[in-house]
Amino acid sequence: MAACIFCKIIKGDIPSFKLFESDKVFAFLDIQPLSVGHALVIPKFHGAKLTDIPDDQLGELLPVMKKVAKASGAENYNVLQNNGRLAHQVVHFHMIPKPNEQQGLGISWPAADADKDKLKRLSEEIKSRM
């Protein structure tokens, strides 16, 4: 996609601090990091959502994420994956070191008690579509 920032980074139209590149994956440091070592790992296949990416293009993503996390030296970190416009751009994964309470990803998780019967019905619906 011509307007996709990640496609431009992969092509070299926008400079990056590249950490890793293969024929299917590109990893680089975030230029607006939440903490030192914050990196992005992206598939080279363009897709707005994870479900848009063919399975054969996904196999390297988590192993590369693991390598980046290990190489960063972060003892604690979050892995965040975004899908679609409301989730902030096209498919990309963040590896965000969490060195302390102030740095890294802050998470608000407004959990609520779930109705077990509704959960059972939902699990059956989802399984039937897999």
Side-chain angles (χ1 to χ4, degrees), residues 25-124:
V25 176
F26 194 93
F28 57 99
L29 290 176
D30 195 307
I31 60 168
Q32 294 181 311
L34 297 180
S35 58
V36 174
H38 180 167
L40 282 83
V41 177
I42 60 176
K44 285 189 170 181
F45 189 98
H46 177 88
K49 298 179 181 171
L50 189 62
T51 52
D52 297 336
I53 312 291
D55 289 348
D56 69 335
Q57 300 294 311
L58 295 171
E60 255 188 284
L61 285 166
L62 283 179
V64 170
M65 178 63 69
K66 180 180 173 181
K67 287 178 185 177
V68 170
K70 196 172 196 177
S72 77
E75 184 177 332
N76 302 291
Y77 54 91
N78 295 94
V79 172
L80 173 68
Q81 198 273 312
N82 299 311
N83 289 278
R85 181 173 292 153
L86 290 178
H88 310 290
Q89 300 174 344
V90 298
V91 174
H92 63 285
F93 293 77
H94 290 263
M95 190 290 297
I96 308 166
K98 186 71 174 158
N100 56 52
E101 288 296 322
Q102 292 73 40
Q103 295 178 318
L105 184 64
I107 297 177
S108 173
W109 200 283
D113 289 330
D115 178 300
K116 302 299 187 254
D117 291 330
K118 288 181 182 178
L119 283 178
K120 182 177 181 179
R121 284 192 301 274
L122 179 59
S123 73
E124 294 303 323

